[in-house]
Amino acid sequence: MSGKTVSALRAEGITKAYDGRTIIQDVSLHLEQGELVCLLGVSGAGKTTLFHSLSGLERPERGQVFLSGEEITGRPGRISYMLQRDLLLPHKKILDNVALPLVIQGEKPRLAREKARGYFRQFGLEGTQDKYPAQLSGGMRQRAALLRTFLGSRGVVLLDEPFSALDALTKREIHQWYMEMMDQLKLTTLFITHDIDEAILLSDRIYILSGHPGTITAEWPIQAPRPRGLSFSLSDEFLGYKRQILAQLGL
């Protein structure tokens, strides 16, 4: 329809069960172009199950997934999905690790390496191309994993707690860097976290997934302008968001 905005990612009525037990039920959400949206909830609410359905790794019993208006339900390879661990292959150099999604998509290895090489400076990875994962710090490994995720994406990425293993100072640095990368590369991100502070600091909106089976029980827009620094995390506005979210989660 003319004039109608098409969401970057939209899920409608997603229901998924394992062994006869429903894990998530009637989950609907949307991401607009350039948004960072957090999915927040207690363990066992079905966040990772939802990501498997959104990414096409598994087909839900009911519901549909749309990427820029195209239905992709149960079709893997359309949305990039980064797990909590970086999962870099230890026997491959960083350049080959990063280029892997392009090779899987059918690109010749030499061309895939050249395309990946062009992003190393932008991602703060210059000089690591010929190193192995064990030679990089945790923060640099996450940058490499995020570059690999970006190269395999069509503008929408799913991140499952990608920064949870980092120390507090490295995490703050990576947060700021990732927000800059999102703006530069026009990425849209759906982000799982258990960290309420992290969700409030990063998000345009927060979805609360809770219950058994899991369902969306609340949606919170975060109105504060970005970037949000340390001063925001100490503000009354921040604490107000946190109190409301804790109450919604029953904590």
Side-chain angles (χ1 to χ4, degrees):
M1 185 182 297
S2 178
K4 183 177 180 181
T5 301
V6 176
S7 297
L9 177 66
R10 188 171 87 256
E12 297 180 351
I14 300 296
T15 296
K16 179 64 182 174
Y18 295 111
D19 298 325
R21 184 168 70 92
T22 302
I23 307 299
I24 54 173
Q25 185 166 10
D26 198 27
V27 172
S28 297
L29 53 78
H30 66 95
L31 277 74
E32 303 310 316
Q33 180 64 44
E35 277 194 308
L36 189 151
V37 176
C38 274
L39 187 66
L40 187 64
V42 298
S43 296
K47 297 185 296 297
T48 299
T49 296
L50 176 59
F51 265 32
H52 286 174
S53 295
L54 295 176
S55 65
L57 291 177
E58 297 179 354
R59 177 175 284 274
E61 274 66 38
R62 294 193 302 277
Q64 295 174 294
V65 181
F66 298 88
L67 179 65
S68 298
E70 174 191 1
E71 186 179 359
I72 60 165
T73 313
R75 296 165 61 191
R78 271 65 178 179
I79 298 176
S80 282
Y81 176 13
M82 179 175 161
L83 301 172
Q84 183 173 351
R85 296 173 56 215
D86 59 62
L87 297 180
L88 297 174
L89 299 174
H91 61 284
K92 284 185 176 290
K93 294 179 179 180
I94 296 300
L95 181 59
D96 289 322
N97 264 288
V98 165
L100 188 59
L102 301 174
V103 175
I104 291 172
Q105 291 170 10
E107 195 87 63
K108 293 184 181 300
R110 181 179 62 80
L111 295 176
R113 290 189 197 99
E114 286 308 305
K115 183 173 181 179
R117 192 186 300 273
Y119 287 97
F120 267 67
R121 183 177 298 278
Q122 188 173 8
F123 274 71
L125 290 164
E126 190 64 37
T128 68
Q129 290 91 330
D130 293 325
K131 293 186 177 181
Y132 289 91
Q135 296 175 283
L136 269 58
S137 67
M140 295 295 277
R141 288 172 63 107
Q142 288 304 95
R143 288 176 184 245
L146 285 163
L147 174 52
R148 181 183 60 189
T149 302
F150 162 69
L151 289 173
S153 78
R154 299 187 183 183
V156 175
V157 296
L158 308 179
L159 305 180
D160 189 348
E161 296 196 82
F163 311 132
S164 61
L166 301 177
D167 64 78
L169 291 177
T170 303
K171 183 184 290 191
R172 182 174 294 278
E173 176 190 335
I174 291 288
H175 282 168
Q176 181 178 352
W177 168 80
Y178 185 72
M179 300 306 292
E180 292 171 358
M181 286 297 99
M182 274 192 63
D183 290 341
Q184 291 178 24
L185 301 171
K186 304 187 186 309
L187 280 176
T188 302
T189 303
L190 183 61
F191 183 102
I192 286 178
T193 182
H194 288 93
D195 186 336
I196 296 173
D197 289 15
E198 183 174 60
I200 298 170
L201 284 171
L202 296 181
S203 302
D204 293 297
R205 289 181 292 116
I206 298 172
Y207 283 112
I208 306 294
L209 186 72
S210 60
H212 300 283
T215 190
I216 300 292
T217 56
E219 177 185 351
W220 295 94
I222 306 298
Q223 303 290 359
R226 291 197 310 235
R228 302 173 191 143
L230 181 61
S231 60
F232 175 68
S233 66
L234 300 173
S235 68
D236 290 339
E237 184 179 7
F238 177 93
L239 293 174
Y241 283 123
K242 188 169 184 176
R243 279 193 292 268
Q244 294 175 75
I245 291 169
L246 285 168
Q248 180 68 42
L249 290 168
L251 300 175

